[in-house]
Amino acid sequence: MRRKSGWTGPKSISCCPSSISVNGVKAYLVTLCLDQIDADRLVLRRHITESLQRLEGQTLLSRSGEVSFFLTNEERDINREIKNVELSSGAEAKLLDELSFDEVLRGQRKHRFTANRMDFPFNRRCDGFPVGNQMDGALLVSVLTPLADAYAVYKDQKCVLDSTQEDGHVLIRLDDQESLGRELRAYLKTGTYLRTRGDGTLLPSVKRIHSDLAEENCKRRERLPRLLADMLAQAKYCVAGQSLQITAAAPMAALTEALEYLISNTFNKMGYLRKVHDTPERAMQEIQAILRSNDIGQQTLAIQMEESNPQAINPKIIGVMKPTTISSASLLK
């Protein structure tokens, strides 16, 4: 039987409890293995990490977050079965999409531009694959995770260059954290195993192990969005050929900052529009109301427009020719 309590203090290796903190055991073992006062602690820590990984690979340890469990023989057999579970095609990508865009980024599909409150829809991609329905003419937000096949070739320069494609888009490259792939696959494989192995003929000891696995998997599912949120907040953001220094500390705020930059630099005069109508019909109604008003009302409106939005009416500022006179009759049709 394995105990759930953490490692409470230094013990000899033979007396280690069955549940240990990975960081705690590494720190203790580094100190324990020092054979001279000027020994390289980083090298020792790397050797210990490799040894723990070897034990995990031999299914002598099972890891959940920052805690590893020494396994009994019965638990070892079950964990080997879990490792051999074959995941369906696209299972990892689907879960990544759900975690990144639906949970961490809260299903956001459009961005409201700060300057004029205009909504800009955007398409979403994860590791090169489209997420959800794709809209023609929309902006693009592409997330690259360490699980992508081509992740290794996406160095800084390639990320900047690729962000110029699709007429410029937001490319978010997550840092290479080994824990993401490990936790994601463990969650999927454990869930698949428990769904296919649960029946009424199991021995009580096996049922207990399954119950422990289900509890650990629920905690793993709760950790995954937090892990991805931290990775998105610390990721590299490249937008329309530029590497951005994001100041926001939260993933939603970081995405907003990147989209603001993309819109401002893709539509560099969009900020001149101070008021944007939802539909062409509403814009036409306002034009018709203005043209039907008396001369005093139109003069008052012209003065207000010049004071409130000089960029939109000054041809020297916007760099276009003065507009020609438009027949009011044609607009009133």
Side-chain angles (χ1 to χ4, degrees), residues 80-103:
R80 283 174 179 165
E81 290 185 51
I82 292 174
K83 282 187 175 182
N84 292 329
V85 169
E86 293 290 336
L87 296 177
S88 61
S89 176
E92 291 181 19
K94 182 179 179 181
L95 181 56
L96 266 179
D97 298 346
E98 177 185 334
L99 292 168
S100 301
F101 287 106
D102 293 338
E103 298 190 25

PDB file of all heavy atoms in Angstrom, residues 80-103:
ATOM      1  N   ARG A  80       2.119  -0.234 -16.190  1.00  0.00           N
ATOM      2  CA  ARG A  80       2.672  -0.678 -17.476  1.00  0.00           C
ATOM      3  C   ARG A  80       1.570  -0.805 -18.516  1.00  0.00           C
ATOM      4  O   ARG A  80       1.778  -0.477 -19.694  1.00  0.00           O
ATOM      5  CB  ARG A  80       3.394  -2.012 -17.279  1.00  0.00           C
ATOM      6  CG  ARG A  80       4.772  -1.860 -16.632  1.00  0.00           C
ATOM      7  CD  ARG A  80       5.391  -3.194 -16.318  1.00  0.00           C
ATOM      8  NE  ARG A  80       6.721  -3.023 -15.728  1.00  0.00           N
ATOM      9  CZ  ARG A  80       7.390  -3.984 -15.091  1.00  0.00           C
ATOM     10  NH1 ARG A  80       6.836  -5.200 -14.958  1.00  0.00           N
ATOM     11  NH2 ARG A  80       8.583  -3.750 -14.582  1.00  0.00           N
ATOM     12  N   GLU A  81       0.403  -1.274 -18.088  1.00  0.00           N
ATOM     13  CA  GLU A  81      -0.726  -1.344 -19.018  1.00  0.00           C
ATOM     14  C   GLU A  81      -1.125   0.050 -19.484  1.00  0.00           C
ATOM     15  O   GLU A  81      -1.459   0.259 -20.657  1.00  0.00           O
ATOM     16  CB  GLU A  81      -1.913  -2.040 -18.349  1.00  0.00           C
ATOM     17  CG  GLU A  81      -1.718  -3.536 -18.119  1.00  0.00           C
ATOM     18  CD  GLU A  81      -2.982  -4.184 -17.570  1.00  0.00           C
ATOM     19  OE1 GLU A  81      -4.055  -3.976 -18.184  1.00  0.00           O
ATOM     20  OE2 GLU A  81      -2.902  -4.874 -16.545  1.00  0.00           O
ATOM     21  N   ILE A  82      -1.097   1.020 -18.571  1.00  0.00           N
ATOM     22  CA  ILE A  82      -1.447   2.399 -18.940  1.00  0.00           C
ATOM     23  C   ILE A  82      -0.453   2.950 -19.952  1.00  0.00           C
ATOM     24  O   ILE A  82      -0.842   3.621 -20.928  1.00  0.00           O
ATOM     25  CB  ILE A  82      -1.504   3.290 -17.678  1.00  0.00           C
ATOM     26  CG1 ILE A  82      -2.675   2.872 -16.801  1.00  0.00           C
ATOM     27  CG2 ILE A  82      -1.606   4.766 -18.050  1.00  0.00           C
ATOM     28  CD1 ILE A  82      -2.735   3.588 -15.463  1.00  0.00           C
ATOM     29  N   LYS A  83       0.832   2.675 -19.744  1.00  0.00           N
ATOM     30  CA  LYS A  83       1.844   3.164 -20.687  1.00  0.00           C
ATOM     31  C   LYS A  83       1.636   2.594 -22.079  1.00  0.00           C
ATOM     32  O   LYS A  83       1.964   3.228 -23.087  1.00  0.00           O
ATOM     33  CB  LYS A  83       3.249   2.800 -20.193  1.00  0.00           C
ATOM     34  CG  LYS A  83       3.757   3.693 -19.086  1.00  0.00           C
ATOM     35  CD  LYS A  83       5.214   3.370 -18.791  1.00  0.00           C
ATOM     36  CE  LYS A  83       5.778   4.334 -17.759  1.00  0.00           C
ATOM     37  NZ  LYS A  83       7.212   4.084 -17.485  1.00  0.00           N
ATOM     38  N   ASN A  84       1.101   1.385 -22.165  1.00  0.00           N
ATOM     39  CA  ASN A  84       0.917   0.722 -23.458  1.00  0.00           C
ATOM     40  C   ASN A  84      -0.400   1.101 -24.140  1.00  0.00           C
ATOM     41  O   ASN A  84      -0.685   0.602 -25.230  1.00  0.00           O
ATOM     42  CB  ASN A  84       0.981  -0.802 -23.280  1.00  0.00           C
ATOM     43  CG  ASN A  84       2.378  -1.272 -22.885  1.00  0.00           C
ATOM     44  OD1 ASN A  84       3.373  -0.664 -23.265  1.00  0.00           O
ATOM     45  ND2 ASN A  84       2.444  -2.343 -22.103  1.00  0.00           N
ATOM     46  N   VAL A  85      -1.202   1.945 -23.506  1.00  0.00           N
ATOM     47  CA  VAL A  85      -2.463   2.375 -24.121  1.00  0.00           C
ATOM     48  C   VAL A  85      -2.172   3.183 -25.381  1.00  0.00           C
ATOM     49  O   VAL A  85      -1.331   4.085 -25.370  1.00  0.00           O
ATOM     50  CB  VAL A  85      -3.297   3.220 -23.135  1.00  0.00           C
ATOM     51  CG1 VAL A  85      -4.467   3.898 -23.853  1.00  0.00           C
ATOM     52  CG2 VAL A  85      -3.812   2.359 -22.003  1.00  0.00           C
ATOM     53  N   GLU A  86      -2.835   2.854 -26.469  1.00  0.00           N
ATOM     54  CA  GLU A  86      -2.686   3.582 -27.730  1.00  0.00           C
ATOM     55  C   GLU A  86      -3.750   4.678 -27.793  1.00  0.00           C
ATOM     56  O   GLU A  86      -4.947   4.402 -27.703  1.00  0.00           O
ATOM     57  CB  GLU A  86      -2.852   2.622 -28.914  1.00  0.00           C
ATOM     58  CG  GLU A  86      -1.748   1.580 -29.044  1.00  0.00           C
ATOM     59  CD  GLU A  86      -0.414   2.202 -29.463  1.00  0.00           C
ATOM     60  OE1 GLU A  86      -0.441   3.292 -30.081  1.00  0.00           O
ATOM     61  OE2 GLU A  86       0.631   1.596 -29.171  1.00  0.00           O
ATOM     62  N   LEU A  87      -3.287   5.912 -27.966  1.00  0.00           N
ATOM     63  CA  LEU A  87      -4.215   7.029 -28.054  1.00  0.00           C
ATOM     64  C   LEU A  87      -4.728   7.168 -29.480  1.00  0.00           C
ATOM     65  O   LEU A  87      -4.005   6.907 -30.442  1.00  0.00           O
ATOM     66  CB  LEU A  87      -3.524   8.332 -27.639  1.00  0.00           C
ATOM     67  CG  LEU A  87      -3.064   8.401 -26.177  1.00  0.00           C
ATOM     68  CD1 LEU A  87      -2.324   9.707 -25.917  1.00  0.00           C
ATOM     69  CD2 LEU A  87      -4.243   8.268 -25.228  1.00  0.00           C
ATOM     70  N   SER A  88      -5.980   7.576 -29.605  1.00  0.00           N
ATOM     71  CA  SER A  88      -6.550   7.770 -30.931  1.00  0.00           C
ATOM     72  C   SER A  88      -5.883   8.944 -31.631  1.00  0.00           C
ATOM     73  O   SER A  88      -5.334   9.859 -30.991  1.00  0.00           O
ATOM     74  CB  SER A  88      -8.061   8.029 -30.823  1.00  0.00           C
ATOM     75  OG  SER A  88      -8.306   9.190 -30.061  1.00  0.00           O
ATOM     76  N   SER A  89      -5.913   8.919 -32.948  1.00  0.00           N
ATOM     77  CA  SER A  89      -5.287   9.973 -33.746  1.00  0.00           C
ATOM     78  C   SER A  89      -5.935  11.317 -33.434  1.00  0.00           C
ATOM     79  O   SER A  89      -7.147  11.468 -33.454  1.00  0.00           O
ATOM     80  CB  SER A  89      -5.440   9.650 -35.236  1.00  0.00           C
ATOM     81  OG  SER A  89      -4.917  10.697 -36.024  1.00  0.00           O
ATOM     82  N   GLY A  90      -5.101  12.290 -33.118  1.00  0.00           N
ATOM     83  CA  GLY A  90      -5.599  13.635 -32.854  1.00  0.00           C
ATOM     84  C   GLY A  90      -6.086  13.878 -31.443  1.00  0.00           C
ATOM     85  O   GLY A  90      -6.571  14.979 -31.132  1.00  0.00           O
ATOM     86  N   ALA A  91      -5.975  12.885 -30.547  1.00  0.00           N
ATOM     87  CA  ALA A  91      -6.474  13.051 -29.181  1.00  0.00           C
ATOM     88  C   ALA A  91      -5.702  14.144 -28.439  1.00  0.00           C
ATOM     89  O   ALA A  91      -6.290  14.978 -27.746  1.00  0.00           O
ATOM     90  CB  ALA A  91      -6.375  11.731 -28.420  1.00  0.00           C
ATOM     91  N   GLU A  92      -4.368  14.150 -28.597  1.00  0.00           N
ATOM     92  CA  GLU A  92      -3.562  15.164 -27.925  1.00  0.00           C
ATOM     93  C   GLU A  92      -3.872  16.551 -28.468  1.00  0.00           C
ATOM     94  O   GLU A  92      -4.020  17.513 -27.698  1.00  0.00           O
ATOM     95  CB  GLU A  92      -2.073  14.853 -28.104  1.00  0.00           C
ATOM     96  CG  GLU A  92      -1.602  13.617 -27.364  1.00  0.00           C
ATOM     97  CD  GLU A  92      -0.114  13.383 -27.558  1.00  0.00           C
ATOM     98  OE1 GLU A  92       0.596  14.340 -27.954  1.00  0.00           O
ATOM     99  OE2 GLU A  92       0.343  12.254 -27.326  1.00  0.00           O
ATOM    100  N   ALA A  93      -3.969  16.659 -29.798  1.00  0.00           N
ATOM    101  CA  ALA A  93      -4.245  17.961 -30.410  1.00  0.00           C
ATOM    102  C   ALA A  93      -5.602  18.495 -29.970  1.00  0.00           C
ATOM    103  O   ALA A  93      -5.753  19.692 -29.690  1.00  0.00           O
ATOM    104  CB  ALA A  93      -4.181  17.845 -31.928  1.00  0.00           C
ATOM    105  N   LYS A  94      -6.600  17.623 -29.907  1.00  0.00           N
ATOM    106  CA  LYS A  94      -7.942  18.049 -29.507  1.00  0.00           C
ATOM    107  C   LYS A  94      -7.951  18.573 -28.079  1.00  0.00           C
ATOM    108  O   LYS A  94      -8.573  19.610 -27.793  1.00  0.00           O
ATOM    109  CB  LYS A  94      -8.921  16.875 -29.647  1.00  0.00           C
ATOM    110  CG  LYS A  94     -10.357  17.227 -29.308  1.00  0.00           C
ATOM    111  CD  LYS A  94     -11.280  16.030 -29.491  1.00  0.00           C
ATOM    112  CE  LYS A  94     -12.718  16.388 -29.121  1.00  0.00           C
ATOM    113  NZ  LYS A  94     -13.630  15.228 -29.266  1.00  0.00           N
ATOM    114  N   LEU A  95      -7.262  17.873 -27.185  1.00  0.00           N
ATOM    115  CA  LEU A  95      -7.215  18.323 -25.794  1.00  0.00           C
ATOM    116  C   LEU A  95      -6.437  19.629 -25.670  1.00  0.00           C
ATOM    117  O   LEU A  95      -6.819  20.526 -24.906  1.00  0.00           O
ATOM    118  CB  LEU A  95      -6.585  17.243 -24.917  1.00  0.00           C
ATOM    119  CG  LEU A  95      -6.490  17.561 -23.421  1.00  0.00           C
ATOM    120  CD1 LEU A  95      -7.857  17.901 -22.837  1.00  0.00           C
ATOM    121  CD2 LEU A  95      -5.862  16.396 -22.664  1.00  0.00           C
ATOM    122  N   LEU A  96      -5.359  19.765 -26.432  1.00  0.00           N
ATOM    123  CA  LEU A  96      -4.593  21.013 -26.417  1.00  0.00           C
ATOM    124  C   LEU A  96      -5.448  22.185 -26.871  1.00  0.00           C
ATOM    125  O   LEU A  96      -5.403  23.273 -26.291  1.00  0.00           O
ATOM    126  CB  LEU A  96      -3.361  20.885 -27.321  1.00  0.00           C
ATOM    127  CG  LEU A  96      -2.051  20.454 -26.676  1.00  0.00           C
ATOM    128  CD1 LEU A  96      -0.957  20.354 -27.727  1.00  0.00           C
ATOM    129  CD2 LEU A  96      -1.629  21.426 -25.577  1.00  0.00           C
ATOM    130  N   ASP A  97      -6.218  21.973 -27.961  1.00  0.00           N
ATOM    131  CA  ASP A  97      -7.118  23.023 -28.448  1.00  0.00           C
ATOM    132  C   ASP A  97      -8.094  23.436 -27.357  1.00  0.00           C
ATOM    133  O   ASP A  97      -8.319  24.628 -27.111  1.00  0.00           O
ATOM    134  CB  ASP A  97      -7.898  22.532 -29.668  1.00  0.00           C
ATOM    135  CG  ASP A  97      -6.996  22.195 -30.846  1.00  0.00           C
ATOM    136  OD1 ASP A  97      -5.817  22.597 -30.811  1.00  0.00           O
ATOM    137  OD2 ASP A  97      -7.466  21.521 -31.776  1.00  0.00           O
ATOM    138  N   GLU A  98      -8.678  22.432 -26.710  1.00  0.00           N
ATOM    139  CA  GLU A  98      -9.684  22.703 -25.682  1.00  0.00           C
ATOM    140  C   GLU A  98      -9.083  23.466 -24.515  1.00  0.00           C
ATOM    141  O   GLU A  98      -9.670  24.445 -24.016  1.00  0.00           O
ATOM    142  CB  GLU A  98     -10.276  21.373 -25.212  1.00  0.00           C
ATOM    143  CG  GLU A  98     -11.295  21.500 -24.088  1.00  0.00           C
ATOM    144  CD  GLU A  98     -11.755  20.132 -23.587  1.00  0.00           C
ATOM    145  OE1 GLU A  98     -11.693  19.156 -24.367  1.00  0.00           O
ATOM    146  OE2 GLU A  98     -12.156  20.049 -22.423  1.00  0.00           O
ATOM    147  N   LEU A  99      -7.912  23.039 -24.073  1.00  0.00           N
ATOM    148  CA  LEU A  99      -7.273  23.679 -22.931  1.00  0.00           C
ATOM    149  C   LEU A  99      -6.824  25.104 -23.260  1.00  0.00           C
ATOM    150  O   LEU A  99      -7.062  26.037 -22.486  1.00  0.00           O
ATOM    151  CB  LEU A  99      -6.069  22.853 -22.477  1.00  0.00           C
ATOM    152  CG  LEU A  99      -6.360  21.487 -21.853  1.00  0.00           C
ATOM    153  CD1 LEU A  99      -5.084  20.669 -21.730  1.00  0.00           C
ATOM    154  CD2 LEU A  99      -7.026  21.650 -20.493  1.00  0.00           C
ATOM    155  N   SER A 100      -6.180  25.278 -24.417  1.00  0.00           N
ATOM    156  CA  SER A 100      -5.587  26.575 -24.764  1.00  0.00           C
ATOM    157  C   SER A 100      -6.644  27.620 -25.081  1.00  0.00           C
ATOM    158  O   SER A 100      -6.698  28.692 -24.460  1.00  0.00           O
ATOM    159  CB  SER A 100      -4.632  26.422 -25.955  1.00  0.00           C
ATOM    160  OG  SER A 100      -3.608  25.504 -25.668  1.00  0.00           O
ATOM    161  N   PHE A 101      -7.505  27.314 -26.053  1.00  0.00           N
ATOM    162  CA  PHE A 101      -8.416  28.328 -26.567  1.00  0.00           C
ATOM    163  C   PHE A 101      -9.743  28.388 -25.806  1.00  0.00           C
ATOM    164  O   PHE A 101     -10.274  29.470 -25.582  1.00  0.00           O
ATOM    165  CB  PHE A 101      -8.683  28.081 -28.052  1.00  0.00           C
ATOM    166  CG  PHE A 101      -7.504  28.424 -28.930  1.00  0.00           C
ATOM    167  CD1 PHE A 101      -6.728  27.427 -29.499  1.00  0.00           C
ATOM    168  CD2 PHE A 101      -7.166  29.743 -29.175  1.00  0.00           C
ATOM    169  CE1 PHE A 101      -5.647  27.740 -30.298  1.00  0.00           C
ATOM    170  CE2 PHE A 101      -6.077  30.069 -29.963  1.00  0.00           C
ATOM    171  CZ  PHE A 101      -5.319  29.066 -30.531  1.00  0.00           C
ATOM    172  N   ASP A 102     -10.285  27.242 -25.418  1.00  0.00           N
ATOM    173  CA  ASP A 102     -11.594  27.253 -24.777  1.00  0.00           C
ATOM    174  C   ASP A 102     -11.513  27.570 -23.283  1.00  0.00           C
ATOM    175  O   ASP A 102     -12.373  28.283 -22.757  1.00  0.00           O
ATOM    176  CB  ASP A 102     -12.301  25.911 -24.972  1.00  0.00           C
ATOM    177  CG  ASP A 102     -12.668  25.669 -26.426  1.00  0.00           C
ATOM    178  OD1 ASP A 102     -12.763  26.659 -27.185  1.00  0.00           O
ATOM    179  OD2 ASP A 102     -12.846  24.505 -26.818  1.00  0.00           O
ATOM    180  N   GLU A 103     -10.498  27.048 -22.606  1.00  0.00           N
ATOM    181  CA  GLU A 103     -10.426  27.235 -21.161  1.00  0.00           C
ATOM    182  C   GLU A 103      -9.531  28.408 -20.770  1.00  0.00           C
ATOM    183  O   GLU A 103      -9.974  29.334 -20.094  1.00  0.00           O
ATOM    184  CB  GLU A 103      -9.961  25.946 -20.486  1.00  0.00           C
ATOM    185  CG  GLU A 103     -10.923  24.780 -20.697  1.00  0.00           C
ATOM    186  CD  GLU A 103     -10.594  23.571 -19.851  1.00  0.00           C
ATOM    187  OE1 GLU A 103      -9.955  23.743 -18.787  1.00  0.00           O
ATOM    188  OE2 GLU A 103     -10.969  22.453 -20.240  1.00  0.00           O
TER     189      GLU A 103
END
